[in-house]
Amino acid sequence: MARVSKLDQLSDKVINALLKRYACPMPFHAVRALFMGNIATPDLHASPVQVIRDLWGGALPEFETEQDAKLFMTALMQGLWGGMSNHQKRTNPFKLVRVKTDQPNWETLARFTLIRREELDGFLEGLFAGHDELDLPEKAHMATNVLGEIRGLIAGVHELAITQAKPTDVSELDDLIKQIRELSIIVAKEINVVVQSCQRARAQALETHVAPKPILH
């Protein structure tokens, strides 16, 4: 497992703080998944700046100073977007955020499933980039189907957790949390299948559309 540097941890903290400062409607873990999906999307018209604008309903938040605006865009574009772009490599796969689950109770299960559901929603929203349908490579298409099915399972467990219906036994809660952990491993794997499959498809498309050098007269 790749180690997370102190700089990366600091960057995440800074970006998270900026998102909260400017009242971003989407939590940090969902934003990073959204960016990852949009980086992977086959839609070549997708724009990182527009994705950032869309987080605030189509317009950037208001800044008190030009320096604040520069810090904001640098953190999100070079920091978060740039960092997510590096996960297109097989040697540096995308990972879901860590969630503490050492205490098996309803609150832990509810928070765990909410975070995973929001990450899945963010990734798929970024991938489809506003489209209801999208031409995907076969492997990516199959992976998104798996992600959709898991999203439904996690959403169901989340509903169970917030209504606190059953189970009531601690061991059963612990089993559910373990199942979500196992599903999380599959989610991360399938997300990386989508990312790497789409990256290869884009590279091949670019290779087949290379313009010939013009003849100079």
Side-chain angles (χ1 to χ4, degrees):
M1 181 180 294
R3 296 181 61 184
V4 179
S5 70
K6 291 183 178 179
L7 179 60
D8 289 334
Q9 291 176 333
L10 177 61
S11 298
D12 286 351
K13 290 180 180 178
V14 169
I15 294 165
N16 194 9
L18 283 171
L19 294 175
K20 291 180 178 178
R21 176 182 176 182
Y22 294 106
C24 180
M26 187 177 287
F28 171 73
H29 56 266
V31 172
R32 68 189 291 277
L34 173 78
F35 281 16
M36 190 72 261
N38 204 246
I39 288 167
T41 184
D43 183 358
L44 298 180
H45 298 292
S47 162
V49 175
Q50 189 57 49
V51 171
I52 295 172
R53 289 178 181 273
D54 288 343
L55 288 172
W56 281 267
L60 293 175
E62 294 185 5
F63 304 103
E64 293 183 3
T65 66
E66 184 177 341
Q67 185 176 3
D68 287 342
K70 184 176 180 181
L71 172 63
F72 175 88
M73 292 305 294
T74 299
L76 266 68
M77 288 293 295
Q78 296 182 18
L80 187 56
W81 190 277
M84 291 299 100
S85 295
N86 292 330
H87 294 311
Q88 295 178 92
K89 302 175 183 177
R90 187 183 295 273
T91 54
N92 184 23
F94 173 81
K95 295 181 177 65
L96 302 174
V97 297
R98 291 180 178 272
V99 183
K100 291 183 178 181
T101 59
D102 49 340
Q103 296 188 9
N105 53 47
W106 288 117
E107 291 74 17
T108 297
L109 183 60
R111 180 170 179 271
F112 192 16
T113 50
L114 177 62
I115 289 173
R116 290 293 180 256
R117 192 195 71 194
E118 289 176 336
E119 286 177 307
L120 276 163
D121 288 347
F123 178 76
L124 292 172
E125 180 181 340
L127 179 68
F128 280 82
H131 301 285
D132 292 329
E133 297 180 342
L134 195 65
D135 288 332
L136 292 171
E138 183 178 359
K139 287 185 178 180
H141 173 66
M142 294 173 63
T144 55
N145 286 340
V146 173
L147 292 174
E149 291 175 1
I150 294 178
R151 195 269 182 202
L153 292 172
I154 290 177
V157 177
H158 178 69
E159 186 66 24
L160 174 71
I162 61 176
T163 56
Q164 300 186 15
K166 53 180 177 179
T168 56
D169 188 87
V170 173
S171 64
E172 292 184 63
L173 281 169
D174 192 40
D175 286 342
L176 277 175
I177 290 172
K178 287 179 180 178
Q179 289 174 26
I180 300 301
R181 286 200 206 106
E182 292 170 359
L183 287 175
S184 297
I185 294 172
I186 299 172
V187 167
K189 177 185 175 182
E190 297 301 326
I191 283 178
N192 283 295
V193 168
V194 174
V195 171
Q196 292 163 18
S197 178
C198 288
Q199 195 276 336
R200 287 193 299 270
R202 284 198 308 274
Q204 291 171 359
L206 290 174
E207 288 175 4
T208 57
H209 289 83
V210 174
K213 183 178 180 179
I215 299 174
L216 302 178
H217 297 283

